[in-house]
Amino acid sequence: MASAKTNGRRQPSLAQLRAFAAVAEHLHFRDAAAAIGMSQPALSGAVSALEETLGLTLLERTTRKVLLSPAGERLAVRAKAVLDEVGALMEEAAAVRAPFTGPLRLGAIPTVAPYLLPTVLRLVRDRYPDLDLQVHEEQTASLLDGLAAGRLDLLLLAVPLGVPGLVELPLFDEDFVLVTPLGHPLGGLDGIPREALRELNLLLLDEGHCLRDQALDICREAGRADAPVTTTAAGLATLVQLVAGGLGVTLLPSTAIDVETTRSEQLLTGHFAAPAPTRRVALALRSGAARAAEYEELARALREALRPLPVRVLGDGTGEGVAG
């Protein structure tokens, strides 16, 4: 094999280094040739070509044995290190080619992460044990920046996003539920009309949470011109405690109800009349992502795993829901 050239200088080939390393280990041409599956003449020729390329004598040849020259002693160590690194590179490439191996940096919004991650983590542990899942909980804007910059690989969040260059893999739709303090006239009711939101003191999350924007959109759809906000919270756990304390009511996605409303005995949940206000949750990835096929398979597996939750699981791109 001809030596490569870099900046006008010839470089050793891997075949030459492999031949030299075998001779350095066995100190015998026949044994070295057998060890690497090369003919003895080809092995001898490769070592001679390496010596010519380097401008050094690497071996001292006699009729009875082969010895390493002082230069050969030093360069044999380097040759072995190069070949070891090439082997490691090939192993890494094989690992990358294997699906669901290596790191996967998943970003999730705070109003999804606590309620879906147990299902996600269980699925990954059971079905994809070689996947190194790394979870980052951030607000939507930060997640989108991280995905665009390559800091994150995949997002779990509410859609639609309306961002060019992204592919959304819908997972499910879920209803919003009205959470009230004990004694509230709408507490525990079914069939609540959306119009009731016009007069309620609605507590919301801080600016930057997509759930806040969704709640405001629901209020506007109900005919509420504005939603004056006097009290906000950084997370849903605080929000429901404010409700329990009688400061107002709030909207929670169905997946959060079991976790958040069990924190207090001073809460009731009410359900809206059909069609209830909803949100859609999906995985999002960069268009043309190298691992897009893996992410699509993960989305399919995740839809099945999410069926026990109070959601309407969606088909692959059909938009049709199946009750969980």
Side-chain angles (χ1 to χ4, degrees), residues 41-285:
L43 178 83
S44 180
V47 174
S48 296
L50 177 62
E51 290 177 316
E52 182 182 351
T53 297
L54 299 177
L56 295 169
T57 298
L58 301 175
L59 303 176
E60 296 179 4
R61 301 166 177 85
T62 70
T63 56
R64 294 185 177 181
K65 58 183 177 179
V66 178
L67 298 176
L68 291 174
S69 69
E73 291 275 4
R74 293 177 59 180
L75 294 184
V77 176
R78 295 285 189 181
K80 184 178 184 303
V82 170
L83 294 171
D84 287 345
E85 284 300 314
V86 171
L89 182 146
M90 297 304 293
E91 290 177 2
E92 185 69 17
V96 170
R97 288 196 303 271
F100 299 106
T101 60
L104 171 57
R105 300 164 296 181
L106 175 68
I109 56 175
T111 59
V112 164
Y115 319 114
L116 297 192
L117 280 180
T119 300
V120 174
L121 296 176
R122 186 165 51 250
L123 172 67
V124 169
R125 182 185 66 242
D126 294 344
R127 187 173 297 194
Y128 312 115
D130 294 325
L131 189 64
D132 177 18
L133 184 64
Q134 302 167 10
V135 178
H136 302 261
E137 184 185 70
E138 302 169 23
Q139 293 186 9
T140 299
S142 177
L143 292 179
L144 292 174
D145 288 344
L147 188 66
R151 178 174 60 85
L152 298 172
D153 303 311
L154 192 63
L155 306 183
L156 180 60
L157 72 180
V159 297
L161 298 167
V163 177
L166 291 188
V167 175
E168 298 174 5
L169 305 175
L171 298 175
F172 63 84
D173 291 337
E174 64 177 327
D175 293 342
F176 281 99
V177 176
L178 184 68
V179 181
T180 72
L182 290 178
H184 193 280
L186 296 179
L189 296 184
D190 289 329
I192 300 171
R194 290 198 197 195
E195 291 73 18
L197 291 170
R198 297 175 184 174
E199 308 300 329
L200 297 177
N201 181 25
L202 191 64
L203 305 179
L204 301 175
L205 292 173
D206 292 337
E207 295 277 358
H209 287 278
C210 63
L211 190 60
R212 171 194 176 94
D213 298 331
Q214 292 161 352
L216 292 174
D217 287 341
I218 293 168
C219 288
R220 283 189 285 270
E221 291 171 2
R224 185 167 180 164
D226 58 5
V229 179
T230 57
T231 303
T232 61
L236 294 184
T238 302
L239 201 61
V240 296
Q241 292 305 317
L242 296 176
V243 173
L247 294 186
V249 303
T250 195
L251 296 173
L252 288 188
S254 297
T255 50
I257 293 298
D258 285 347
V259 173
E260 300 301 343
T261 59
T262 55
R263 300 179 190 274
S264 172
E265 296 180 351
Q266 304 301 310
L267 297 169
L268 293 173
T269 56
H271 298 269
F272 290 93
T278 65
R279 74 169 178 177
R280 176 163 293 185
V281 173
L283 293 175
L285 58 142

Side-chain angles (χ1 to χ4, degrees), residues 21-29 31-33 35-36 66:
V23 174
E25 179 181 354
H26 294 279
L27 295 178
H28 196 287
F29 275 95
D31 294 346
I36 62 174
V66 178

